[in-house]
Amino acid sequence: MDLVSQLVLTLLALPFLLPLLLHGDGGHIPTTLQGPFKPLTVPLDETFRGHAVDLPDTDPRVQRNVQGLEPEQISISLSAKHDSVWISWITGDHQIGDNIKPLNPKTVGSVVRYGRLRFPLTHEEAGHSLIYSQLYPFEGLQNYTSGIIHHVRLKGLKPETLYYYKCGDPSVPAMSDVYYFKTMPAPGPHSYPRRIAIMGDMGLTYNTTSTVDHLISNDPDLILLIGDVTYANLYLTNGTGSDCYSCSFSQTPIHETYQPRWDYWGRFMQPVLSKVSVMVIEGNHDIEPQAENRTFAAYSSRFAFPSKESKSHSALYYSFDAGGIHFIMLGAYVAYDKSADQYKWLMRDLASVDREVTPWLVATWHAPWYSTYKAHYREVECMRVAMEELLYQYGVDLVFSGHVHAYERSNRVYNYTLDPCGPVYITIGDGGNREKMAINHADEPGNCPEPSSTSDDIGGFCGFNFTSGPAAGKFCWDRQPEYSAYRETSFGHGILEVKNETHALWTWHRNQDLYNEPGDRIYIVRQPDRCPCPSEPQNLLPYSMQMDWFVVTLLALPLILSYVNGGDNDIPTTLEGPFDPVTIPLDTSSRGNAVDLPDNDYRVQRRVQGFNPEQISVSLSSNHDSVWISWITGDYQIGDNIKPLNPKKVHSVVRYGRSPFRLNHEEDGDSLIYSQLYPYEDIQNYTSGIIHRVRLTGMITKPNLLDLFE
């Protein structure tokens, strides 16, 4: 056999040789090609329940150890591309109490000096700074205002290169020590970060410290934190905490938080995050509502996100590249249905991915779709219903979630059915938080949740019984579902090592194990030839460009109905009349639900932000070649002192066409508001949102054609 033939055979066998070449125990590491695997539940280790007790504020690792305006809580995060990173830090201390006075960000500069040598640091970049406050409009609750938070973006960096930096304000002077970081590889099918650490639901307990120690021992190049960062919302504003907020503090007028826990977390994590980039996505414990319905203030202020660079313009969902991997960070606590901005962005982002350059497509969000634990079982089913088809069509390889405080890995699955082209879903919400671990499984006797308890505030209720498979007609399986490959209750973290464009090694490390001993390990193998990824969405019309749609075949509805019913001889015609009079007896068992839907029913609540359109409707004009599109922007007002919105503040525009990829026509129209006024005391007046009406004319040359609009 000549050398060329030997080389060809070696390349063909590479997927099978890689485990053996890369790991001494390679022969024992399974691959997804061997799946689907028989479901496995590792019995609960009763001797190890984790040290789910928060670090106290007296622990030296969480105390402030800088002076004046010296930087602290230093962290690094990636931009959307390899040649840029964000450096973040805080100067000045927080304040908490009744009479707080926010610091002025303009009093200190945001400067990073950096270079490829420790000395001299030859480059300098300036950035921006901000403060945030957590305010509660209730007597007895303490308000909080942060130190000055700085974000500086470094650009023009070389791939896979070590850079040194220090941050602060050299004019004060108040500069940090010198730290270092290494940039990501450039996008390409043969360049990947060595190790990516993944964890969720951290908090700041003694078990968190064990998770971080294990993580450090694995020397990652990048960290993904999948929501629920500090669990500051398990505390009252006076610092009193509980493992279960609703159990201990059910009478509070608003869900309080103790914001200094964010500062404690930032100080504890600085030794890691000042050297290794962290990418964060929000969790439910990061919502933190406060005055004026503001949410996510700490989360969105303390971290830098590549939102603008990835064209999402939201800290709650974004994307970035790390070598040959494209990461999509999705928000489970912001609107995700097919009319939402997030879905529209996701559609555009997926369409922009070149799988020849970034073969791996990895998605993360906080609440899992495929978890078999009782805790949070099928809690974001509406998100799955809205987005799963889109992610499947674009060939997402891996999905990471948290929320459930345990570990679980799925077989490849799509729509609850084993599918060799579906993603592998991994739940890793076991970072160490004080709510302790999830133990019970929904498929065990007596553990299946009541379906009505699984609705969420964003999507509402979608948790219907299964319609096919072994669990048909039921809300839960009666055994570990076939899509669940491995599950175990334990704290820990995971390491993803992408080896090439088809093979990635996934390892889950349990806190109670030795540092080099894995709890679960498997090669995730892509099969692009078997599961091709389309360059643009197919069969998703009309949502492929995320537009509302209407069917002008309404004009032909009488003909369609007569066609459908024409062959049924049991349907009488008026030609057979007159008919003998018939009275149907009253069915007293069904009197109808003549009770109005309450205003807290999710189907009637406002689910758009700002001036995004809602209440969209279509009505016909007098001819088949014209229709009216109507919608409302802005919310109504009701009360004594209402101030009507100004219709001139927002335009009325409809773009439309025959193709979902090309809306090549545009019309504008008019807008108005109306008020319902009563000249009597104690009767509340009303003024509407801005009502828009646009008439599309000459748009259809033949009846019964499909048109799309936004």
Side-chain angles (χ1 to χ4, degrees):
M1 183 181 296
D2 59 26
L3 182 60
V4 174
S5 300
Q6 292 183 44
L7 180 59
V8 170
L9 287 176
T10 301
L11 289 173
L12 291 173
L14 188 58
F16 305 99
L17 294 174
L18 263 175
L20 190 60
L21 291 171
L22 295 168
H23 296 273
D25 59 349
H28 301 295
I29 302 177
T31 79
T32 51
L33 296 178
Q34 300 167 241
F37 298 94
K38 184 178 179 180
L40 173 64
T41 298
V42 176
L44 176 67
D45 183 355
E46 294 284 358
T47 65
F48 181 78
R49 297 300 304 278
H51 301 288
V53 177
D54 274 343
L55 295 184
D57 56 11
T58 56
D59 191 296
R61 293 169 292 183
V62 306
Q63 291 182 326
R64 188 169 188 261
N65 59 9
V66 297
Q67 302 296 318
L69 295 176
E70 292 175 351
E72 65 159 347
Q73 304 181 47
I74 302 168
S75 66
I76 308 169
S77 55
L78 300 180
S79 185
K81 300 299 180 183
H82 72 279
D83 61 352
S84 178
V85 303
W86 287 90
I87 309 294
S88 304
W89 70 94
I90 293 180
T91 54
D93 203 3
H94 69 260
Q95 302 168 59
I96 188 167
D98 298 324
N99 300 305
I100 59 175
K101 184 178 180 181
L103 299 175
N104 183 357
K106 295 181 180 180
T107 59
V108 59
S110 307
V111 176
V112 173
R113 289 177 174 168
Y114 65 101
R116 296 170 66 180
L117 299 174
R118 181 181 290 270
F119 182 83
L121 300 175
T122 55
H123 302 282
E124 182 175 298
E125 286 284 352
H128 68 279
S129 59
L130 69 153
I131 60 100
Y132 80 91
S133 297
Q134 190 82 11
L135 306 176
Y136 299 104
F138 301 99
E139 187 176 355
L141 273 61
Q142 298 186 75
N143 294 319
Y144 170 97
T145 184
S146 71
I148 301 170
I149 302 169
H150 306 260
H151 300 299
V152 176
R153 185 183 177 195
L154 312 185
K155 296 173 283 188
L157 306 177
K158 296 182 180 296
E160 295 185 272
T161 301
L162 189 68
Y163 284 89
Y164 296 91
Y165 74 95
K166 60 181 179 180
C167 57
D169 186 346
S171 68
V172 173
M175 295 294 284
S176 71
D177 293 335
V178 176
Y179 297 91
Y180 62 87
F181 65 88
K182 187 177 181 181
T183 53
M184 289 293 105
H190 307 299
S191 59
Y192 300 94
R194 289 181 310 110
R195 296 186 190 94
I196 301 168
I198 301 170
M199 57 184 175
D201 302 72
M202 281 189 67
L204 189 54
T205 68
Y206 288 100
N207 205 78
T208 306
T209 66
S210 178
T211 302
V212 174
D213 286 345
H214 278 73
L215 180 149
I216 292 172
S217 73
N218 281 313
D219 189 25
D221 294 335
L222 173 64
I223 298 171
L224 302 186
L225 178 49
I226 312 173
D228 286 0
V229 181
T230 68
Y231 286 81
N233 74 337
L234 291 183
Y235 287 79
L236 300 179
T237 61
N238 64 12
T240 303
S242 171
D243 296 346
C244 174
Y245 185 98
S246 61
C247 306
S248 302
F249 313 126
S250 60
Q251 302 304 314
T252 55
I254 190 172
H255 193 129
E256 301 176 33
T257 71
Y258 188 62
Q259 288 295 300
R261 298 297 305 182
W262 283 91
D263 295 295
Y264 302 163
W265 189 91
R267 292 164 187 158
F268 177 82
M269 292 299 294
Q270 176 176 310
V272 181
L273 302 187
S274 59
K275 303 177 181 68
V276 183
S277 295
V278 63
M279 305 303 287
V280 186
I281 197 65
E282 82 276 5
N284 58 301
H285 284 277
D286 307 318
I287 298 174
E288 300 185 333
Q290 59 169 301
E292 300 181 351
N293 295 319
R294 189 182 180 194
T295 54
F296 297 110
Y299 163 86
S300 59
S301 300
R302 290 175 178 269
F303 299 104
F305 304 92
S307 303
K308 183 178 180 181
E309 302 100 282
S310 61
K311 300 180 174 60
S312 87
H313 302 286
S314 171
L316 303 180
Y317 52 89
Y318 59 91
S319 67
F320 65 95
D321 291 336
I325 313 169
H326 185 72
F327 286 97
I328 298 173
M329 315 289 278
L330 296 177
Y333 303 97
V334 60
Y336 46 64
D337 61 77
K338 292 183 170 69
S339 64
D341 287 344
Q342 179 176 200
Y343 191 97
K344 297 175 185 179
W345 168 82
L346 175 60
M347 197 72 195
R348 294 190 298 268
D349 190 80
L350 287 169
S352 70
V353 177
D354 185 348
R355 299 301 282 272
E356 296 295 321
V357 178
T358 52
W360 286 87
L361 188 53
V362 178
T364 77
W365 56 86
H366 183 60
W369 293 352
Y370 288 97
S371 169
T372 60
Y373 285 83
K374 179 181 179 181
H376 309 303
Y377 178 71
R378 299 180 68 182
E379 189 176 88
V380 286
E381 187 73 353
C382 291
M383 184 183 183
R384 186 193 67 80
V385 170
M387 290 183 162
E388 186 178 25
E389 182 180 8
L390 183 59
L391 297 180
Y392 176 80
Q393 182 139 11
Y394 274 96
V396 168
D397 301 298
L398 270 166
V399 173
F400 293 100
S401 296
H403 200 38
V404 176
H405 304 158
Y407 173 76
E408 186 165 15
R409 170 175 53 82
S410 78
N411 285 305
R412 291 193 177 276
V413 60
Y414 171 64
N415 195 24
Y416 292 108
T417 303
L418 296 176
D419 189 313
C421 297
V424 173
Y425 290 83
I426 293 175
T427 300
I428 190 160
D430 55 348
N433 70 87
R434 73 176 290 174
E435 284 186 321
K436 299 184 172 63
M437 294 179 287
I439 296 173
N440 298 319
H441 306 110
D443 47 84
E444 295 167 341
N447 282 343
C448 185
E450 174 64 32
S452 61
S453 69
T454 63
S455 63
D456 76 89
D457 294 336
I458 301 298
F461 177 76
C462 297
F464 301 102
N465 289 345
F466 295 107
T467 57
S468 61
K474 303 174 184 177
F475 188 62
C476 302
W477 288 56
D478 57 9
R479 60 184 184 276
Q480 184 174 353
E482 61 187 10
Y483 56 78
S484 174
Y486 182 106
R487 63 188 184 188
E488 180 176 357
T489 296
S490 182
F491 287 125
H493 77 285
I495 294 290
L496 180 66
E497 302 173 70
V498 178
K499 304 300 184 181
N500 57 30
E501 57 265 47
T502 58
H503 284 65
L505 178 64
W506 166 252
T507 307
W508 174 57
H509 295 269
R510 306 185 310 173
N511 283 2
Q512 67 264 43
D513 293 329
L514 298 175
Y515 289 115
N516 60 353
E517 182 180 342
D520 180 37
R521 177 177 282 181
I522 189 170
Y523 273 98
I524 311 296
V525 182
R526 298 181 62 245
Q527 295 180 278
D529 294 335
R530 183 178 186 181
C531 308
C533 306
S535 58
E536 61 183 36
Q538 312 265 332
N539 301 321
L540 286 175
L541 189 68
Y543 291 116
S544 55
M545 288 297 288
Q546 192 40 163
M547 295 164 290
D548 301 293
W549 63 286
F550 63 93
V551 183
V552 185
T553 48
L554 286 172
L555 296 170
L557 189 58
L559 297 176
I560 295 172
L561 287 173
S562 64
Y563 175 78
V564 171
N565 296 322
D568 194 336
N569 294 327
D570 294 331
I571 300 177
T573 74
T574 53
L575 297 177
E576 301 172 46
F579 301 95
D580 292 336
V582 174
T583 298
I584 304 297
L586 175 66
D587 182 358
T588 56
S589 65
S590 175
R591 298 301 301 274
N593 296 316
V595 179
D596 277 344
L597 293 182
D599 56 11
N600 60 6
D601 189 293
Y602 75 92
R603 292 168 292 184
V604 306
Q605 292 182 325
R606 188 168 187 259
R607 297 163 61 191
V608 298
Q609 302 294 322
F611 285 102
N612 285 331
E614 65 163 344
Q615 304 182 48
I616 302 169
S617 64
V618 183
S619 55
L620 301 179
S621 185
S622 57
N623 297 314
H624 75 277
D625 63 348
S626 178
V627 299
W628 287 90
I629 311 296
S630 304
W631 69 94
I632 293 180
T633 54
D635 204 3
Y636 69 82
Q637 303 168 59
I638 189 168
D640 298 325
N641 299 307
I642 59 175
K643 183 178 180 181
L645 298 175
N646 183 355
K648 295 181 180 179
K649 293 288 187 180
V650 60
H651 297 293
S652 307
V653 178
V654 174
R655 292 173 178 162
Y656 62 100
R658 301 272 178 80
S659 166
F661 306 106
R662 187 184 179 196
L663 300 179
N664 52 0
H665 301 286
E666 182 174 300
E667 291 282 355
D668 58 10
D670 62 346
S671 59
L672 70 153
I673 60 100
Y674 78 90
S675 299
Q676 191 80 13
L677 307 177
Y678 301 98
Y680 304 102
E681 190 175 355
D682 297 329
I683 298 181
Q684 297 186 85
N685 295 319
Y686 170 96
T687 183
S688 70
I690 301 171
I691 303 167
H692 305 260
R693 296 169 180 160
V694 176
R695 185 184 179 198
L696 312 186
T697 57
M699 54 179 292
I700 303 173
T701 56
K702 297 179 181 179
N704 308 331
L705 291 181
L706 179 70
D707 275 80
L708 308 164
F709 73 89
E710 63 176 354

